[in-house]
Amino acid sequence: MEALDRPPQALEETGLANRLLGRLESFLLNMSILAVLAMGAVIVGTILGRWLLGGQIPDDVLWVKDLMVAAVALPLASVAAARQNIVVEVFTNGASETAKAVLDFLGNLLGFVMFVLLSWGSWTEFLHVWADDSYYDGDLYLMQWPGHLVCAAGFSVLTLRLALAMFGRAVSLSPIDEREV
C-alpha cells in the first residue's frame, strides 16, 4: 500500500498546476485554522460575557455556524492532496499494486463526479443568496452569502484536486512508455 500513499509520478510531473493548487490548498488550510480559532473565541467570549456581564456576543450561534462551514469545507482539498482521507483497506490489502492503482483511480473518479455536483449546487445556492441579499434573522442581520461562498470555494478546490489526482493516476496506469513521449 506504500505505493498508493504518495501521489503517482505523473501527478508530480503536472508541475505548475500542482504547485499553484498546493499553494491555494495551503492558504485555505490556514484560513480553516483561523476559522477554528475564531469559533473558539466567539464561544469563549459568549461564555465569559454571560458569566461576567450578563450578556453574550450578538448572533454568536450564526457566527459559529458560518465559521464551522469554513473549518470543514476549506481544508478538504488539502486533506485529499496529502492522501489523509479515510480509506477502507480491508478489501484491498490482498490486491495487486495494479489493482490498487485502478481502485484508486475509480475512487478519484467517483469523488470527482460527486464533488462536481456538490460544487455546482453550492455555487447555485451562493448565487441565489447573493442575488436575493439573503440574511439571517438576528440582532445583526448577518448576510448569508459568506458561508455559502466559503462552502462553494472549498468544494471547488477539492474538485480540482480530485481531477488532478485522477489525471495523474490515469497517466500512471497508461501502457504508453513515458520515455517515448
Side-chain angles (χ1 to χ4, degrees):
M1 191 64 180
E2 290 178 21
L4 292 179
D5 288 339
R6 60 185 183 278
Q9 184 68 25
L11 183 58
E12 294 170 3
E13 292 173 0
T14 54
L16 182 62
N18 198 32
R19 283 194 307 270
L20 289 176
L21 192 55
R23 287 183 182 164
L24 179 59
E25 291 164 349
S26 178
F27 173 75
L28 294 178
L29 178 62
N30 288 331
M31 290 297 102
S32 72
I33 291 168
L34 288 176
V36 170
L37 293 174
M39 214 173 9
V42 168
I43 292 168
V44 168
T46 293
I47 291 170
L48 290 176
R50 285 182 183 170
W51 182 49
L52 298 174
L53 306 172
Q56 64 187 33
I57 294 175
D59 292 337
D60 59 335
V61 174
L62 297 175
W63 285 103
V64 170
K65 176 185 169 190
D66 275 353
L67 289 168
M68 182 65 71
V69 171
V72 172
L74 292 180
L76 289 174
S78 184
V79 170
R83 302 187 56 77
Q84 297 296 316
N85 41 336
I86 299 172
V87 295
V88 180
E89 295 178 346
V90 173
F91 303 109
T92 60
N93 280 339
S96 69
E97 290 301 315
T98 303
K100 289 178 185 178
V102 168
L103 289 172
D104 184 54
F105 170 78
L106 292 174
N108 284 328
L109 175 65
L110 180 62
F112 174 75
V113 169
M114 288 174 27
F115 275 95
V116 162
L117 296 172
L118 284 170
S119 296
W120 177 78
S122 296
W123 282 110
T124 301
E125 184 64 19
F126 163 71
L127 293 173
H128 173 72
V129 297
W130 175 271
D132 288 349
D133 284 334
S134 298
Y135 60 88
Y136 295 113
D137 290 330
D139 297 333
L140 301 176
Y141 296 103
L142 299 172
M143 300 301 293
Q144 290 183 0
W145 67 264
H148 291 275
L149 176 62
V150 165
C151 183
F155 285 174
S156 296
V157 175
L158 175 59
T159 302
L160 290 174
R161 172 52 67 192
L162 290 172
L164 197 59
M166 188 175 55
F167 170 76
R169 185 56 71 193
V171 170
S172 72
L173 290 173
S174 173
I176 299 172
D177 189 0
E178 293 179 1
R179 290 170 287 170
E180 295 175 10
V181 177

